[in-house]
Amino acid sequence: MSNKKIDLPASIVIRDLAQMIEKSPIEIIKKLMTNGVMATINQSVDFDTAAIVVAEYGFDATPEVIEEEVKKEMGEVPLWRQMIAGEDEKHLKPRPPVVTILGHVDHGKTSLLDAIRTTEVAAGEAGGITQHIGAYQVEQKGRLITFLDTPGHAAFTQMRARGAQGADVVILVVAADDGVMPQTREAIAHAKAARVPILVALNKVDKANANPDRVKQQLAELELVPDDWGGNTMVIPVSAKLNQGIDDLLEGVLLVADNAEIRANPAGVVIGTVIEAELDKSKGVLATFLVQNGTLESGDIVVAGTSYGKLKAINDFKGKPIKKAGPSTPVAVMGLSDVPSAGDLFRVVATEKEARAIISERLEAIKGQAQAKKKMSLEDLFANVQIGETKGLNLIIKADVQGSLDPIVTELNKLGEGEIGLKILHAETGNIGNNDVMLASASKAIIVGFNVQADVDARRTADKEGVDIRLYEIIYRMTEDIEKALKGMLAPVTVEKIIGRAQVLQVFTASKFGRVAGCRVTEGELRRNAKARLYRGADIVFEGDMGSLRHEKDDVKEIKQGFECGVGFKNFSDIQPSDILVCYTVENS
Ligand code: GDP
């Protein structure tokens, strides 16, 4: 069997590597350990190391060239690009763009989605769509566009927080009579954080008090300079109510999409995102999938999040049964064992047995991630910087009034001029809501509130997602705390260095030391004063100091590869043959 190809960047975080090859991060960490590399889920490994690991799963790694260039230009690589990284360049074909609509409440998101659906879904059939599945497709100049039709930030950010990224393009709806409002700014923050291109629909231009120029001015101030003002943002006047400008808007979407070179391999691995899912009393689990690569077929066995099943039926968004669905197609599917979450990734696997194995790995990985997530508090920031998770501090600021928000932002920006960056993702007046928490979770940010409260819902989500919310009533206390956290980052960093490994061959009882491990040093050396960690399979059963190190009858300070020795551990005697002993030191780097 020939190896699968995969493009890897010069350095990759374990979590991302695991996701790329659909393995649990824990499994990858174990593989690295057996190769002598100790790394946490959030640490990066270089190309050579990653290539060795993926080779064990049958992948041929090549250095990623194009993706690196894209990364420089766009920052974060969109998830779909990562998903198709293993596909051969020459098999990639353009696919329809997937669009989501964001904007302030009442600016016309729902009306616009309805207007697009009724005017553009193949004329005559529109009335036939009785059931919404969370997405639909329209045709513009012979090309398809997929719309995710659950408007609002919650859906978008929830997906992003789960690492998924359904949308390729964001349509930002701004009412021409109302202008940029808090949720408009929030939507921009979400889209920018996810590196999804924005196109503005300037809605309600039919209204007498519509003021397009004022809106353009406001957008320009937010770095969305309209193209007719010499900028890069398309601002398209529409009226959802009168069905005006819809064609122009769709045309605009295609132009933005063409710029982004949205592609997939229709014949490649079948992967995508769960758009929504529910349990129907009579039909079982109903889910909407967005296919992002490959072609989904009825009868396929899929894994979606932690559920799986053989797809009994695939329907298109009009409720019509279909046999196959290619990239960017939204489909309603039946046959899953469990209800997956919106934003879960799905993929086709060969057998149900494989599906079950993947799920048990994922459950294990979720446990690991829950532990890792807890590390997002200000106190732990320093630790995160050490292990490479955080390069700087991402903040979301909420304050009671604009008058306090402005000086806070100025003060914090000053603090961020030091060696370690501080980035304010979003600053707004008002209480801390669920959306703030989802944005924080997706962007690994901390939320700082000044004279505001966190909603009950937001608190609950924050607990679940491990997001740190800090409330202050005095500005200097806030800046002081953040300054301390930033300074902490500059303190010396300690690193663990593995110096040797040994295999436990037998266990015996020595009266003085209790139970002792009879080992052979397989690599490096063991040192009496160094630290020891005992593995049983993947589990660490002991970690701490060595109580004794003996060669034959003598106490020794160290023992080298190839020799046998007896090792006792302080306050630990549950040693078993074939445990693996790893000896390491902790040093300042
Ligand atoms: P959403 O909260 O963003 O989903 O906004 P809706 O789509 O529910 O629209 C809010 C209100 O604005 C409704 O009363 C709509 O009828 C109205 N509306 C939406 N689009 C237009 C438009 O283009 N022109 C006018 N005059 N009213 C609109």
Side-chain angles (χ1 to χ4, degrees), residues 56-362:
E56 299 204 20
Y57 297 106
F59 286 93
D60 260 348
T62 40
E64 177 185 77
V65 182
I66 308 158
E67 294 301 328
E68 273 301 299
E69 278 165 15
V70 172
K71 209 176 208 165
K72 258 185 237 140
E73 248 172 56
M74 309 188 21
E76 190 178 282
V77 176
L79 187 79
W80 66 264
R81 278 193 203 278
Q82 295 174 31
M83 281 173 157
I84 61 165
E87 298 290 350
D88 194 332
E89 185 73 10
K90 65 177 185 287
H91 296 141
L92 294 179
K93 306 238 159 44
R95 63 169 172 82
V98 179
V99 182
T100 195
I101 298 191
L102 302 180
H104 195 68
V105 63
D106 276 350
H107 278 197
K109 297 182 290 293
T110 315
S111 308
L112 192 59
L113 278 163
D114 287 345
I116 295 168
R117 186 191 293 116
T118 47
T119 48
E120 307 291 336
V121 168
E125 276 185 281
I129 307 170
T130 49
Q131 189 191 3
H132 288 188
I133 65 161
Y136 64 81
Q137 283 191 309
V138 299
E139 214 178 289
Q140 173 71 8
K141 298 240 166 86
R143 292 171 63 185
L144 286 170
I145 303 175
T146 304
F147 277 87
L148 301 180
D149 77 354
T150 326
H153 314 163
F156 181 77
T157 321
Q158 194 182 357
M159 276 201 190
R160 206 162 76 73
R162 307 183 135 264
Q165 196 177 308
D168 306 309
V169 176
V170 162
I171 293 183
L172 178 68
V173 180
V174 188
D177 58 336
D178 204 19
V180 167
M181 297 301 278
Q183 285 173 295
T184 318
R185 275 194 273 270
E186 202 177 277
I188 295 171
H190 285 312
K192 281 196 174 162
R195 313 273 172 187
V196 177
I198 299 172
L199 169 87
V200 177
L202 189 58
N203 192 29
K204 306 198 188 184
V205 288
D206 58 286
K207 284 188 125 177
N209 57 346
N211 190 345
D213 277 343
R214 184 174 142 257
V215 180
K216 287 183 183 175
Q217 179 65 44
Q218 292 173 327
L219 290 168
E221 282 162 14
L222 296 170
E223 293 171 23
L224 293 179
V225 183
D227 52 358
D228 53 348
W229 288 18
N232 294 323
T233 305
M234 271 197 247
V235 179
I236 295 159
V238 297
S239 167
K241 191 177 173 186
L242 304 179
N243 280 346
Q244 280 171 1
I246 306 294
D247 274 345
D248 292 344
L249 185 66
L250 298 181
E251 192 87 342
V253 167
L254 291 175
L255 285 173
V256 173
D258 287 343
N259 261 340
E261 283 192 53
I262 298 160
R263 298 182 300 172
N265 176 7
V269 287
V270 191
I271 36 182
T273 301
V274 177
I275 302 297
E276 56 180 45
E278 59 172 22
L279 187 63
D280 182 285
K281 279 202 190 85
S282 55
K283 295 180 186 150
V285 178
L286 298 179
T288 300
F289 281 0
L290 174 70
V291 181
Q292 283 168 298
N293 195 59
T295 300
L296 187 71
E297 296 184 30
S298 66
D300 276 349
I301 296 163
V302 296
V303 180
T306 51
S307 76
Y308 75 100
K310 189 175 171 125
L311 298 185
K312 282 188 249 165
I314 305 183
N315 288 344
D316 68 5
F317 68 94
K318 295 171 198 156
K320 209 172 78 197
I322 50 172
K323 291 234 140 39
K324 291 178 178 192
S328 295
T329 313
V331 286
V333 300
M334 280 192 281
L336 291 177
S337 60
D338 250 318
V339 184
S341 302
D344 276 343
L345 298 180
F346 73 83
R347 62 175 281 211
V348 169
V349 295
T351 61
E352 299 207 6
K353 190 168 163 230
E354 188 185 345
R356 284 191 292 268
I358 292 172
I359 287 168
S360 69
E361 272 174 27
R362 280 193 184 159

Side-chain angles (χ1 to χ4, degrees), residues 507-510 513-517 548 567-569 572-577:
V507 182
F508 50 90
T509 308
F513 304 104
R515 282 161 77 77
V516 167
S548 64
V567 183
F569 303 101
F572 179 80
S573 58
D574 172 29
I575 309 161
Q576 284 179 19

